[in-house]
Amino acid sequence: MATDNAASALIASDVLAFIDHASGSDDAFNALALKVFAHQFAHNLPFQRFCQGRGKTPRMVKSWRDIPAVPINAFKDLTLSCLPPESCARTFKTSGTTRGDVKGQHHHPDLAVYDASMLRNFGQHVMPSDARLRMGVLFPDEVLMPHSSLAHYLALAITHFGTPDSRHYLDENGLCVDALCQALEAAQASAEPFMLLGASYGFVHLMDALQARGQTFRLPTGSRLLDTGGFKGQSREVPMDLFYEQLSACFGVSRDQCLNMYGMTELSTQFYDVGNLTVPSVKRGPHWIRSRLLDPLTGHEVAAGAQGILAHTDLGNYNSVVTILTEDVGQAMGNGFVLLGRAQGTQAKGCSMAVDEFLQAAKA
């Protein structure tokens, strides 16, 4: 166990150093991804079995693109951790929206890498200046949701980028509409920028509540909105173009300051766009995560310009699996990608088959 802890600490130190670099070359990313892969092959038994079944061992794999991608649903059925879960400082759990109460679990030995990834990335893509903004969060705090990666992410945003009067406006009693309206009115009157952050469905509930009151705002220049996570059956579904049009009209914030964060519990790193003047917007990640578009039936990369299932290689996932296969359809665009929705039809079948293949191999 002491040896496992030491190996984990060394890998984490390497990842932290890589995150701290101003940028990462392709060669440097590849070298560290292969090092993380070798660590996980040695210490994550279900993953090792899966890789062996595919003939993908550290000796054979020479590129991060060849590291086997683990389907995200595997996090719901197996323990994918290099260290025993009980020794990990924090376990984040998925929302359980796709399979009822069955939640995927992502174990973190400590939060140093996760926090460094979030803070560096958020600072680059959302808060590029040193100025802090008053923040209102449309999501429960970590006390109410201790296993939510989004709750922790938003807590980091408030602590490191918010002013002292930043706070959550969603508690055990629901949305605190009166208090939030007072804060928005104060921001409007003071001309001090304000930032609203939260789950996409939280914004829908807030806009519905404001519409019932006949109330809109015109927040000061420099204000911005950040949503994430989609609607997940928690609110009415809103087409993306209409969603950002309504956000802009309701809060008086231009659509280029309506940002979306794309992330998931099974990752340690997030993707951002530069606003939503047009949708779908292009998502980009930092230098410690790379993405591919795969055909889930073959596991091969799709042709240039074709749609495929997104697979992400995230160095922040040093304790679990470095490459995951999502169920999100995407298309490459410039130095990023656009999201085109969840897998349907043949692609969904391919994702399901990939899960079955992984589970059969990992349990063998």
Side-chain angles (χ1 to χ4, degrees):
M1 181 62 181
T3 302
D4 291 346
N5 285 332
S8 176
L10 285 173
I11 287 290
S13 178
D14 288 343
V15 173
L16 284 169
F18 192 84
I19 290 173
D20 193 48
H21 289 166
S23 62
S25 69
D26 291 342
D27 288 344
F29 179 89
N30 190 65
L32 186 50
L34 294 179
K35 188 173 183 178
V36 173
F37 169 58
H39 171 75
Q40 292 171 351
F41 187 90
H43 297 277
N44 187 336
L45 186 57
F47 180 58
Q48 181 190 99
R49 290 170 176 159
F50 172 61
C51 294
Q52 287 174 330
R54 288 193 162 193
K56 300 288 188 179
T57 66
R59 179 173 295 182
M60 299 297 295
V61 173
K62 304 300 180 185
S63 168
W64 67 269
R65 294 180 177 274
D66 294 325
I67 297 173
V70 174
I72 59 171
N73 270 324
F75 282 81
K76 297 180 178 179
D77 296 284
L78 294 170
T79 299
L80 297 173
S81 179
C82 291
L83 292 178
E86 60 272 16
S87 72
C88 292
R90 185 71 71 93
T91 295
F92 292 137
K93 298 182 181 181
T94 61
S95 60
T97 55
T98 57
R99 283 171 53 186
D101 292 331
V102 180
K103 298 178 183 292
Q105 299 190 36
H106 194 178
H107 307 287
H108 296 265
D110 60 52
L111 289 175
V113 169
Y114 185 96
D115 290 0
S117 175
M118 182 276 173
L119 294 172
R120 180 73 184 273
N121 199 14
F122 193 92
Q124 289 176 340
H125 290 94
V126 182
M127 299 283 288
S129 72
D130 292 333
R132 288 175 173 253
L133 290 181
R134 183 176 181 182
M135 293 182 174
V137 174
L138 306 177
F139 200 76
D141 62 22
E142 290 188 279
V143 175
L144 291 175
M145 298 189 71
H147 296 295
S148 168
S149 59
L150 180 56
H152 181 66
Y153 166 97
L154 293 168
L156 289 173
I158 281 184
T159 301
H160 294 271
F161 300 97
T163 57
D165 51 358
S166 300
R167 55 163 285 193
H168 291 74
Y169 291 93
L170 186 63
D171 59 24
E172 64 273 14
N173 297 313
L175 193 60
C176 307
V177 180
D178 290 338
L180 181 53
C181 284
Q182 290 176 8
L184 294 173
E185 288 167 352
Q188 194 171 250
S190 68
E192 293 183 4
F194 193 95
M195 185 172 186
L196 273 176
L197 313 88
S200 309
Y201 60 79
F203 279 96
V204 174
H205 289 311
L206 177 58
M207 288 192 291
D208 287 348
L210 293 178
Q211 184 179 29
R213 294 177 172 217
Q215 192 167 10
T216 60
F217 296 92
R218 184 155 296 280
L219 293 175
T221 300
S223 297
R224 63 200 69 172
L225 313 176
L226 186 144
D227 79 287
T228 186
F231 309 110
K232 296 184 177 179
Q234 301 292 319
S235 71
R236 59 185 172 87
E237 294 282 332
V238 185
M240 281 295 99
D241 197 48
L242 179 59
F243 175 70
Y244 289 110
E245 191 61 33
Q246 290 178 343
L247 278 183
S248 179
C250 188
F251 300 102
V253 176
S254 62
R255 286 181 56 162
D256 64 341
Q257 294 301 308
C258 296
L259 312 178
N260 176 265
M261 183 272 278
Y262 167 64
M264 58 196 69
T265 303
E266 298 87 355
L267 287 176
S268 302
T269 302
Q270 300 81 35
F271 297 88
Y272 298 96
D273 53 41
V274 291
N276 282 273
L277 279 173
T278 60
V279 293
S281 56
V282 179
K283 302 291 190 290
R284 298 178 178 87
H287 62 267
W288 57 91
I289 191 168
R290 305 288 169 94
S291 302
R292 295 176 289 154
L293 292 164
L294 305 182
D295 179 337
L297 290 171
T298 65
H300 298 151
E301 291 190 48
V302 301
Q307 297 179 14
I309 301 298
L310 281 159
H312 305 296
T313 298
D314 182 3
L315 298 182
N317 274 18
Y318 73 96
N319 183 62
S320 54
V321 288
V322 71
T323 302
I324 67 165
L325 178 69
T326 72
E327 295 180 346
D328 298 320
V329 181
Q331 187 173 19
M333 193 72 65
N335 61 346
F337 57 85
V338 294
L339 287 170
L340 301 174
R342 301 288 281 182
Q344 304 290 332
T346 301
Q347 289 178 320
K349 181 180 179 181
C351 291
S352 179
M353 290 173 63
V355 174
D356 291 340
E357 178 196 356
F358 180 85
L359 295 179
Q360 290 174 14
K363 293 177 180 179

